[in-house]
Amino acid sequence: MFQSFSIIFLIAAFFSYVNYKWLKLPSTIGLMILALSTVVLITLTQNIFPAFYLYFCDVVINTDFRSLLMDGMLSFLLFAGSLHVNIDDLKKERKSILLFATFGVLISTTIVGFLTYYLAQSLSIELPLIHALLFGALISPTDPIAVMSILKKANIQKSLGVKIEGESLFNDGIGVVVFSGLLIIARLDENSNESLSSAIGELFLMEAVGGIVYGLILGYIGYRVIKSINENPQLAVLISLAIVIGGYAIASLLHVSGPLAMVVSGMVIGNKINIASNKGMTRKMLNNIWEVLDDVFNAILFVLIGLSIHLLKFDSLYLTLGFLSIFVVLLARFISVLLPYSLLKHEESKPIKTVAILTWGGLRGGISIALALSLSEDLSAEIILYITYVVVLVSVLVQGLSVGKVAKKIYS
């Protein structure tokens, strides 16, 4: 795994250089395009260089995308993303973010699940309803990484930017909890002696509430330790890394949500030491180091998404279902944003414009693919992974490339 990860790391660095020098696209989009182009070239030459093709396949498989993201990179990405979130700004939009990240995820999961189930039935694809709902749960969380850097250049209203960033940070954790709850239902026969309602209730309390409380404790301890060694920037960086790596591992042992814990602890530490001000060596070094780590892991993530697509076998029915699911996911996103948004008052002067940006800017990313990869064959893993890949690729490449222009046009 280490050797494979090292090769992927090298490829990500090379692609980042190529994109910076020549393509000049948003980083995540440029890297994915280069990765997909590489897959096409290697696949076309597999009969000429079969040994190299097999080696390439082994590198991607041995990297273990799901474990690498869910057990490793996700903690860094969420902590780095939340470290610079202004809690005061977040408080102003807390009701919107809470509704989008909870109510919105549940609405989207339900709509996507049922519509995908009926579409599969119409195409004569065997996809049980509970499995379709699992797809709805894993595809509903949005990814702030690719879209935020693009929207910053579109001069959108600050309150809208806070909504997008805050929702995306929290709905990853909520999406995982909903996904886990549906897994319990899907495997009900294996746990027939267990009360379904109590199991899901316990899961929510332990995972979601427990993760937030644990994150608050972890963040406060981290802040106090970093503050006590303010004159030693290198040690402060080491402590922050220990909080992420060790804290995420302990969250798994405690059976609380690691993603939610990382988001909360990152916000506590970031706001307590006021990283954004860049005053003092400790704050400046923490800011710089975590920006670099964020860029590094994002590069690896999107290169892996692109390189892993060759593991899918071509199937016209699955491909058709995947493309139809794109429209289903967009419709579900629109409804899951519109309903919660309509319940509250907002700073934006034209609500429908905000809903449109939130809908088109709701990109899907690595966490969706990682959750799809975690499914076993008895849970329609092949079908779900296939349609997940189609939705994620189109989301990043089409929505990601156009969301900046859409935002500028809407707000012009």
Side-chain angles (χ1 to χ4, degrees):
M1 182 178 178
F2 178 75
Q3 185 183 49
S4 296
F5 177 78
S6 301
I7 293 170
I8 296 295
F9 192 99
L10 178 64
I11 293 171
F14 174 68
F15 284 174
S16 296
Y17 177 79
V18 172
N19 182 61
Y20 176 79
K21 292 290 287 185
W22 295 292
L23 294 185
K24 302 187 184 301
L25 291 169
S27 179
T28 52
I29 297 172
L31 292 174
M32 184 176 285
I33 289 174
L34 287 169
L36 290 171
S37 302
T38 301
V39 169
V40 171
L41 288 174
I42 293 176
T43 303
L44 289 174
T45 59
Q46 63 177 305
N47 294 326
I48 305 172
F49 306 108
F52 179 73
Y53 176 75
L54 290 174
Y55 178 75
F56 172 74
C57 291
D58 287 340
V59 166
V60 176
I61 293 169
N62 292 335
T63 305
D64 194 353
F65 185 107
R66 190 206 67 80
S67 295
L68 183 63
L69 177 61
M70 297 302 292
D71 300 331
M73 294 196 303
L74 186 62
S75 59
F76 287 89
L77 291 169
L78 291 176
F79 185 86
S82 62
L83 201 61
H84 302 96
V85 173
N86 189 306
I87 288 183
D88 291 333
D89 290 338
L90 210 63
K91 283 179 180 177
K92 295 177 183 177
E93 304 295 337
R94 62 185 181 277
K95 292 181 181 178
S96 300
I97 292 169
L98 178 63
L99 283 177
F100 289 153
T102 54
F103 190 43
V105 168
L106 291 172
I107 293 172
S108 177
T109 297
T110 304
I111 294 172
V112 172
F114 276 92
L115 290 182
T116 303
Y117 168 73
Y118 289 119
L119 283 173
Q121 293 292 103
S122 66
L123 293 170
S124 300
I125 297 174
E126 186 178 346
L127 182 66
L129 178 58
I130 187 61
H131 297 176
L133 286 168
L134 280 170
F135 168 67
L138 65 86
I139 207 67
S140 292
T142 55
D143 185 355
I145 299 159
V147 72
M148 282 311 299
S149 60
I150 301 169
L151 288 179
K152 283 176 184 176
K153 300 175 184 177
N155 295 319
I156 62 170
Q157 287 179 259
K158 183 179 179 180
S159 59
L160 176 55
V162 173
K163 284 184 176 73
I164 294 174
E165 191 171 29
E167 176 209 0
S168 300
L169 286 170
F170 280 99
N171 68 12
D172 277 353
I174 299 298
V176 172
V177 173
V178 174
F179 180 82
S180 301
L182 288 168
L183 269 181
I184 291 176
I185 299 173
R187 292 171 173 158
L188 186 60
D189 291 339
E190 300 174 19
N191 302 282
S192 55
N193 294 326
E194 187 176 15
S195 169
L196 179 61
S197 57
S198 63
I200 294 177
E202 183 181 343
L203 175 74
F204 179 79
L205 285 174
M206 284 295 294
E207 289 277 331
V209 179
I212 292 172
V213 172
Y214 172 66
L216 286 170
I217 296 170
L218 189 66
Y220 183 74
I221 292 173
Y223 156 67
R224 296 297 301 181
V225 173
I226 290 172
K227 185 181 179 183
S228 70
I229 52 168
N230 193 50
E231 69 285 352
N232 191 331
Q234 291 85 356
L235 183 56
V237 171
L238 178 62
I239 295 300
S240 70
L241 289 168
I243 288 168
V244 174
I245 299 171
Y248 198 81
I250 293 172
S252 299
L253 296 175
L254 296 175
H255 301 291
V256 299
S257 174
L260 286 176
M262 290 302 102
V263 170
V264 173
S265 62
M267 285 195 298
V268 170
I269 293 172
N271 281 265
K272 284 288 186 180
I273 64 175
N274 194 18
I275 284 180
S277 68
N278 270 335
K279 295 176 182 176
M281 281 303 297
T282 296
R283 282 177 278 196
K284 187 173 183 179
M285 184 170 286
L286 278 171
N287 186 33
N288 292 338
I289 291 293
W290 278 100
E291 280 187 1
V292 171
L293 287 173
D294 196 24
D295 288 342
V296 167
F297 284 115
N298 274 312
I300 294 169
L301 171 61
F302 281 88
V303 165
L304 263 176
I305 291 174
L307 294 181
S308 299
I309 195 171
H310 79 286
L311 301 177
L312 299 176
K313 296 178 182 178
F314 179 79
D315 188 299
S316 58
L317 279 179
Y318 292 176
L319 189 62
T320 302
L321 180 59
F323 278 111
L324 290 174
S325 296
I326 295 166
F327 299 101
V328 168
V329 170
L330 283 172
L331 174 64
R333 173 67 178 168
F334 178 78
I335 296 172
S336 65
V337 168
L338 181 63
L339 289 181
Y341 190 88
S342 62
L343 297 175
L344 303 168
K345 293 182 178 179
H346 303 274
E347 291 182 14
E348 295 87 26
S349 55
K350 296 184 178 179
I352 194 64
K353 290 185 176 182
T354 300
V355 173
I357 293 296
L358 285 167
T359 300
W360 196 247
L363 307 190
R364 271 62 185 182
I367 192 169
S368 297
I369 293 175
L371 289 175
L373 285 167
S374 71
L375 295 172
S376 55
E377 284 303 318
D378 62 316
L379 295 173
S380 306
E382 185 179 359
I383 302 172
I384 292 176
L385 180 60
Y386 207 108
I387 58 179
T388 299
Y389 246 110
V390 173
V391 172
V392 169
L393 290 180
V394 172
S395 171
V396 174
L397 297 180
V398 178
Q399 291 174 239
L401 281 172
S402 61
V403 68
K405 295 178 181 177
V406 170
K408 286 180 180 179
K409 189 171 183 179
I410 288 177
Y411 284 98
S412 61

